Amino acid sequence: MADYSYNGSFYDTSFTTCDMYPLPLNEKQAPDQFEAWLKRKNECCERIQTEAPPSESHCELVWDTWDCWNWTAPGDTLIQTCPWWVPDASPMEQATKTCMPDGTWYVHPGNNNTWTNYTACEVPYKESPIRFIIFEAGYSTSVIALCLALFIFTYFQSLGCPRVTIHKNLFISFILSAISNIIWHVTIIVSSRNESGTACRFTYIMAQFFVLCNYFWMLSEGLYLHTVIVVAVFSENHDLLLYYIVGWVIPMVPAVVLLILQLTLGSGKCWTESQGIEWVIGGTIIAVLLTNAGLLLNIVRVLVTKLRATPSQGARTYVRAVRATIILLPLMGLHYIIIPVRPSDNQVAELVYDCIIAFLISFQGFFVACIFCFFNGEVISQLHRSIRNFTLVHYSHTGQLQNGTDGPSQTQHSSCVKRTGKDAD
């Protein structure tokens, strides 16, 4: 049996003295829950003081801070319905308390105290239906948009260049992040009961890892622009291995740290109650965002200097690329900035806040696809050329257009600066 100690909405059964806890044990208790709990406690404590124990060997009548447990024969396990006055507990489930063969209650080896198993009572997570719909709609929209953008960049080889390769990896990381979060919400958070802690914890860690990959690939976007503009002066001839390491390998470090902390300090079946530990991820992401902001500020400084000195098409092309990346920074970091101001004393305000956060998080992939692909001038031009060529070929085959049109034979321009002076952005 797992140690299920009180922590926020959890249940501490380490203390059995009736004189303890004259006040509510949990701030989430409603007034009627507290009254029911207090009545149950007083009744149990009165029984402990007045009832005579059975003549045979037994485990004693006990109050475990949440419920009353009767005299029990050695070797038996007492089963009771989960008390409804326990916050975040399901009265449809059952709690158990085991009497050992020597006539004493089971003692948990982790804290050396008598222990009641309320593990099954926990409601894994209560998700707002509106918030859930926003999450699923946002992630689904993001996956569709990102897959379409990935197809466009892969199908039109004339758009290929190192920066577009980084775009595609960024898209892949957002697709994996969205899919893992959809799985998390559907199978873990929304399900009323989850039997396997290992499966949901694995999904949780993978979702956090792919979220980290999102931000580290955004950092790769900034690093690439900084290298091309500040270091290599508009030259794109360099290896992308560094960016693959930054985007896929480095995020493993904070993800492993999170896994270790959750294994040692995490609470809840699926670690849904360990908000403090998750700042390992939040802190890393904020550090990445600040680093990226610093790189982009330096890029802007260099670009402004170069444009004033010797205006060039290459420099102006990179202005568009930098602008696209700068626009995404606040979109990807806004929810970390406003998290500390979450309202706590107004349910309507909390719901509005949660819905805004759900929108910002789940639609990030859609914003990335729009800014880096759908609003990209070179991509739009390429799509227009392809549609025009397809139309011309179709009409030529049906006899409605004569030979000599320039559509199908138009030259396909590359999006790489080093070849045409136009960047993918």
Side-chain angles (χ1 to χ4, degrees), residues 124-125 127-129 131-140 177-195 199-200 203-204 207 270 272:
Y125 192 86
E127 177 71 275
S128 163
R131 187 169 179 263
F132 170 72
I133 292 172
I134 294 174
F135 264 125
E136 298 310 299
Y139 283 128
S140 300
S177 175
I179 292 174
S180 61
N181 275 287
I182 289 173
I183 295 173
W184 167 261
H185 280 83
V186 171
T187 63
I188 309 302
I189 294 181
V190 178
S191 59
S192 60
R193 184 170 183 179
N194 181 60
E195 301 294 344
C200 67
T203 306
Y204 164 81
C270 301
T272 54

Side-chain angles (χ1 to χ4, degrees), residues 192-209:
S192 60
R193 184 170 183 179
N194 181 60
E195 301 294 344
S196 175
T198 302
C200 67
R201 290 178 178 185
F202 175 79
T203 306
Y204 164 81
I205 290 296
M206 293 307 298
Q208 297 298 321
F209 169 71

Side-chain angles (χ1 to χ4, degrees), residues 284-307:
T284 301
I285 289 174
I286 290 174
V288 170
L289 288 171
L290 292 175
T291 302
N292 221 358
L295 290 173
L296 291 173
L297 286 175
N298 192 44
I299 291 170
V300 171
R301 179 189 63 82
V302 172
L303 276 177
V304 170
T305 303
K306 291 182 182 296
L307 285 172

Side-chain angles (χ1 to χ4, degrees), residues 161-173 209 212-252 288 291-292 295-296 299 318 325:
C161 69
R163 179 159 164 73
V164 170
T165 301
I166 295 177
H167 287 348
K168 291 194 288 186
N169 278 275
L170 178 65
F171 295 166
I172 292 171
S173 73
F209 169 71
L212 285 167
C213 290
N214 298 163
Y215 288 89
F216 275 94
W217 273 109
M218 277 300 299
L219 178 61
S220 294
E221 295 275 357
L223 283 171
Y224 182 80
L225 287 172
H226 191 270
T227 302
V228 171
I229 296 172
V230 178
V231 179
V233 191
F234 304 147
S235 172
E236 299 196 18
N237 295 313
H238 55 278
D239 194 2
L240 293 179
L241 177 62
L242 171 64
Y243 305 101
Y244 285 107
I245 294 174
V246 171
W248 294 118
V249 179
I250 294 181
M252 293 181 183
V288 170
T291 302
N292 221 358
L295 290 173
L296 291 173
I299 291 170
Y318 276 109
T325 307

